[in-house]
Amino acid sequence: MKPLSLLRASARHSQRGAVLLIVMMLMVSLFGLGMTALWLTGGNLGVGTNINQRAQALYVAQAGLERARSILNAMPPANLSAMLIAAGNTEDDVPTKLDADGNPAGAGAVLRDGFNAVRNVVYPPTSFGRTKGTATAPTPATMGTYTVWLRNDTAECRLGLYTADSNGAVVVRSRGLAPDNRTTVVLEAVMGPLPGAPAANGTPTYSPVLCNFGKNGCDDNSNTVGGFVSN
């Protein structure tokens, strides 16, 4: 029979690699946890960035709709038929036919504010006084750009009237582009005269227009000059 000290030495010799194996398993587990944490953090940052870019594109597109409403409400009233015709802008996409669903196949003519096309307009403008922020909390100079199109309402397009307005109702399409120049949001709103008010082309109102657009609803849309509100 072997002495007790020799038995203990033999047991330690048989377990000599167990500690190293356990340490390696712990290191691999910790490395996996660290990589998972980095992956989750990167994913959360990416999701947050995408949400922020989309929110800015949405706000910019809404600003485009409000710009269109202010142009249509200007005095003297706008000549809608003239504004529905393309003016040579590369983004002009005036429909000339209907698609398979019976809707106009085209975004419309780029909206014009006087002689200026409402395209790639920086928002907010410098008049807003937006600052650059601080070194630790910088603020982007802009929230993006918007482009606005105008086309005849679907009912008249189905009658073949793509560039001839007769009821004072038009469709405004606003595209907001975020600062990353990739994220876009497109909004469309039907704008027409207030019930009982003359249309922009001088013809009487044919039917009441719902006033349910915007965060302030009718209160926001009732603040008009030319009589245009948003559906």
Side-chain angles (χ1 to χ4, degrees), residues 96-118:
T96 57
K97 62 180 180 179
L98 303 177
D99 60 19
D101 296 323
N103 296 316
V110 174
L111 181 65
R112 298 185 295 277
D113 188 358
F115 295 102
N116 300 317
V118 183

Side-chain angles (χ1 to χ4, degrees), residues 72-228:
L72 295 177
N73 281 319
M75 295 299 287
N79 184 338
L80 292 182
S81 294
M83 298 178 72
L84 294 173
I85 301 174
N89 295 299
T90 57
E91 293 90 351
D92 284 332
D93 185 22
V94 179
T96 57
K97 62 180 180 179
L98 303 177
D99 60 19
D101 296 323
N103 296 316
V110 174
L111 181 65
R112 298 185 295 277
D113 188 358
F115 295 102
N116 300 317
V118 183
R119 53 185 292 272
N120 299 327
V121 179
V122 175
Y123 183 84
T126 55
S127 60
F128 278 44
R130 189 181 179 96
T131 63
K132 296 182 179 180
T134 63
T136 57
T139 302
T142 66
M143 296 175 64
T145 60
Y146 62 79
T147 300
V148 182
W149 291 266
L150 196 70
R151 72 170 183 265
N152 215 353
D153 63 287
T154 302
E156 291 198 313
C157 285
R158 290 175 178 174
L159 295 175
L161 304 175
Y162 296 101
T163 57
D165 174 74
S166 63
N167 61 1
V170 291
V171 176
V172 177
R173 179 186 180 94
S174 177
R175 182 189 67 195
L177 179 63
D180 63 356
N181 290 323
R182 294 184 301 172
T183 305
T184 60
V185 171
V186 177
L187 301 177
E188 282 195 354
V190 179
M191 296 191 182
L194 283 167
N201 59 5
T203 59
T205 301
Y206 289 96
S207 60
V209 176
L210 295 177
C211 185
N212 57 3
F213 178 81
K215 64 179 182 179
N216 296 321
C218 290
D219 292 337
D220 179 60
N221 286 324
S222 63
N223 184 22
T224 62
V225 177
F228 271 89

